[in-house]
Amino acid sequence: MTPILTVGAGRMGGATARGWLKAGAFAAADLAFRDPQPGLDAQAAVAKGALADPVDLTPFPTLLFAVKPQVWRAIAADLAHRLHPDAVVVSVVAGVRLAALKAAFQGRRVVRVMPTTGVAAAQGVASVYAEDADARARAHTLFDPIAVTVDLNEEGLMDAATAVSGSAPAYLYAFVEALEAAGAKAGLPPDESRALARATIASAAGLMQQTGEEPAELRRQVTSPGGVTQAALEVLMAPDTGFPHLLDQAVDAAIRRSRELGD
Ligand SMILES: NC(=O)c1ccc[n+]([C@@H]2O[C@H](COP(=O)([O-])OP(=O)(O)OC[C@H]3O[C@@H](n4cnc5c(N)ncnc54)[C@H](OP(=O)(O)O)[C@@H]3O)[C@@H](O)[C@H]2O)c1
């Protein structure tokens, strides 16, 4: 299944390579990249022995397809007649359907994966959907070393998985940004607000992972009735304006956009 050709060596194409090298899942010599302007992670892998811009694409049994949804079709059309007929296509392109990928890649086996950028630290999350068992297995070989992988049994669920997983690191970063800004507005010096917000959120997320406790239980443990935290949570959890409402709307918007990109 190696060497692996990554087409689109930007944030996600680079993050997977970085994770593989960190986890020791593949050697740099097992990797190759095609991208007019590869990102820093791909450049680092090339410095360690990965191949840049191979011309002959037939030696690659696995293609990691990591280009932007807006340009995938033209790039697939160019690759389709150059890849080995038995190559397996592992696509991380948001929204683009299996049937469309399969047609564009001239009937080759295809699997869709929706990873998070945590794969760069070999601590990502990846949703997997395939109809073909070999293609599904190939995705697991690529992503199990760098992510918690979750198999979906309906393609329609990939849009929801994108909305609650692929896109969700951005939601958390947006939360931290807003918390830092609110701290500064409340009078904390910006540097102190930044340090407090970042360290607190990272340690709270770590505690949830280490203890395996339900988030609602962890929330109760740090919320005294009638106390300071409860005053804030009454705003954050308000039925019509708080997180439950906002995240319903955010997830719906992400699912709609994921479907549009796939059309
Ligand atoms: N980033 C995430 O968190 C995330 C999460 C899940 C899935 N994804 C999916 O991953 C895919 C890539 O996203 P990204 O964030 O990594 O985007 P990105 O950083 O823009 O990476 C895409 C790369 O593809 C390159 N490219 C453009 N034309 C190409 C061509 N003809 N051949 C080869 N490479 C070409 C781009 O180069 P230029 O910059 O020069 O155009 C860029 O380096 C998307 O489909 C996205 O849905 C991303």
Side-chain angles (χ1 to χ4, degrees), residues 55-61 81-85 87:
V55 176
D56 178 11
L57 306 188
T58 52
F60 297 97
H81 63 279
R82 302 170 61 190
L83 291 167
H84 193 282

Side-chain angles (χ1 to χ4, degrees), residues 154-252:
E154 257 182 65
E155 185 168 21
L157 296 177
M158 284 299 275
D159 299 309
T162 304
V164 299
S165 173
S167 303
Y171 311 163
L172 182 70
Y173 303 140
F175 176 84
V176 175
E177 268 182 272
L179 186 59
E180 287 178 14
K185 209 166 162 194
L188 285 167
D191 284 354
E192 275 72 1
S193 185
R194 191 178 306 132
L196 287 169
R198 290 178 196 194
T200 304
I201 298 303
S203 81
L207 195 68
M208 184 172 71
Q209 190 179 29
Q210 284 153 28
T211 61
E213 290 265 26
E214 289 296 315
E217 175 53 27
L218 290 169
R219 171 169 58 79
R220 276 192 286 275
Q221 288 171 11
V222 293
T223 311
S224 315
V228 174
T229 308
Q230 188 179 336
L233 283 173
E234 279 169 12
V235 176
L236 294 175
M237 301 298 274
D240 293 337
T241 51
F243 283 151
H245 173 74
L246 278 176
L247 283 168
D248 272 353
Q249 286 194 318
V251 165
D252 280 353

Side-chain angles (χ1 to χ4, degrees), residues 1 20 26 90 111 113 126-129 133-152:
M1 60 148 292
W20 288 331
F26 302 105
V90 180
V111 53
V113 179
S127 310
V128 176
Y129 177 77
D134 289 343
R136 188 182 286 267
R138 189 69 55 94
H140 280 286
T141 308
L142 260 54
F143 283 92
D144 287 357
I146 53 173
V148 172
T149 47
V150 176
D151 279 304
L152 301 179

Side-chain angles (χ1 to χ4, degrees), residues 7-13 34-37 66-69 75 92-94 114-115 117 166:
V7 174
R11 275 180 295 271
M12 185 46 72
R34 274 179 68 86
D35 189 315
Q37 281 185 301
V67 298
K68 287 282 192 199
I75 298 170
V92 298
V93 183
M114 184 43 58
T117 43

